[in-house]
Amino acid sequence: MTFDTNETNEFEFIRQTAFTLGAKDARIIPACDVIVENRVPLKCRSGCVTYGKKLTCPPYVPTPDEFRKILGEYRYVLLVKFRSDAEVDPDVVRSIYKYWLDPDSPQEKKEKAEQFWKDYFSGSREILPVMLELEKAAFNAGYTLALALVNGSCRLCETCNVKGGLCVHPTMARMPEHAVGINMKKTAELAGMPITFPCTEHPEPMALLLID
């Protein structure tokens, strides 16, 4: 899809709002440049400790095939990059889940992994309200179907109401990008704002806003 300068200028206000709210970088890209792959949620099934435990994640959200159809109804997307204060230990981050969850992990590495996730989760909680503000700003500007997707699984509740089948924070909870199949690494690279992985100093979590 070729950029229409007039249309991207149309959304400059929302990009500037992202910077005002603390974003490290923000760019408008065509919705068709968002890379959706069926294999992405497979990582949720095979590598995520919260799989099936949150209503904003698989298997309770649109499949990649369903999301592709939804994405096709949007023109543009705002990609938003943040900076996490979590500090990366290169030796730990490459096996972060092992050191975090394995009770037999060396104590020093386990403590570093736990501290990393504590700091990362603390910072990532601040991403949701920012993205909700961006969604609201777009909505109030007339883009009533604007919708935010966030980085990482929902942390609004200690335990999600999966058994009850209904979210208790429906106006606030948002789906993670990867849950619906978005390959954020490829999408960010295509947009010219690549994600360094494995991260070296501080993680750079990303979120996106679908704009009608």
Side-chain angles (χ1 to χ4, degrees):
M1 177 177 180
T2 302
F3 264 117
D4 184 319
T5 303
N6 291 328
E7 284 196 349
T8 55
N9 287 341
E10 173 186 349
F11 299 117
E12 180 63 16
F13 80 96
I14 198 72
R15 194 177 80 90
Q16 292 302 323
T17 301
F19 286 118
T20 300
L21 293 171
K24 178 180 179 180
D25 197 0
R27 301 189 187 185
I28 298 289
I29 65 170
C32 61
D33 281 356
V34 175
I35 308 301
V36 181
E37 298 177 341
N38 290 52
R39 62 180 177 168
V40 173
L42 187 62
K43 292 290 289 184
C44 299
R45 294 183 63 127
S46 61
C48 182
V49 296
T50 60
Y51 177 77
K53 298 178 181 178
K54 298 189 178 185
L55 291 169
T56 53
C57 287
Y60 307 107
V61 297
T63 66
D65 285 337
E66 291 170 338
F67 184 72
R68 283 189 192 93
K69 295 177 182 178
I70 295 168
L71 185 63
E73 298 176 357
Y74 286 87
R75 291 182 295 157
Y76 289 98
V77 166
L78 175 71
L79 275 185
V80 188
K81 179 182 282 189
F82 298 87
R83 180 190 181 278
S84 172
D85 289 331
E87 294 187 6
V88 173
D89 182 315
D91 292 332
V92 173
V93 74
R94 293 176 182 274
S95 300
I96 190 74
Y97 279 100
K98 172 180 171 58
Y99 293 136
W100 183 37
L101 300 172
D102 188 345
D104 295 326
S105 296
Q107 186 62 28
E108 180 183 0
K109 292 187 182 297
K110 186 174 184 63
E111 289 176 357
K112 287 183 177 180
E114 289 174 346
Q115 187 62 50
F116 171 86
W117 285 120
K118 179 181 178 181
D119 294 341
Y120 183 81
F121 289 153
S122 176
S124 65
R125 286 188 181 93
E126 298 174 7
I127 293 176
L128 174 61
V130 169
M131 296 308 298
L132 291 177
E133 280 297 311
L134 292 173
E135 182 183 297
K136 183 173 71 173
F139 180 91
N140 288 333
Y143 305 102
T144 54
L145 294 177
L147 182 68
L149 299 180
V150 295
N151 173 271
S153 61
C154 182
R155 299 184 185 91
L156 288 172
C157 300
E158 187 71 26
T159 302
C160 183
N161 188 37
V162 170
K163 290 184 178 180
L166 291 174
C167 175
V168 299
H169 295 292
T171 63
M172 295 178 64
R174 294 295 182 271
M175 294 174 285
E177 307 107 334
H178 58 272
V180 292
I182 298 176
N183 185 326
M184 285 300 293
K185 190 170 183 291
K186 282 187 177 181
T187 300
E189 185 175 356
L190 187 62
M193 47 194 299
I195 303 169
T196 301
F197 188 84
C199 48
T200 53
E201 295 180 358
H202 298 277
E204 295 180 325
M206 295 184 69
L208 59 82
L209 178 72
L210 303 174
I211 307 175
D212 179 41

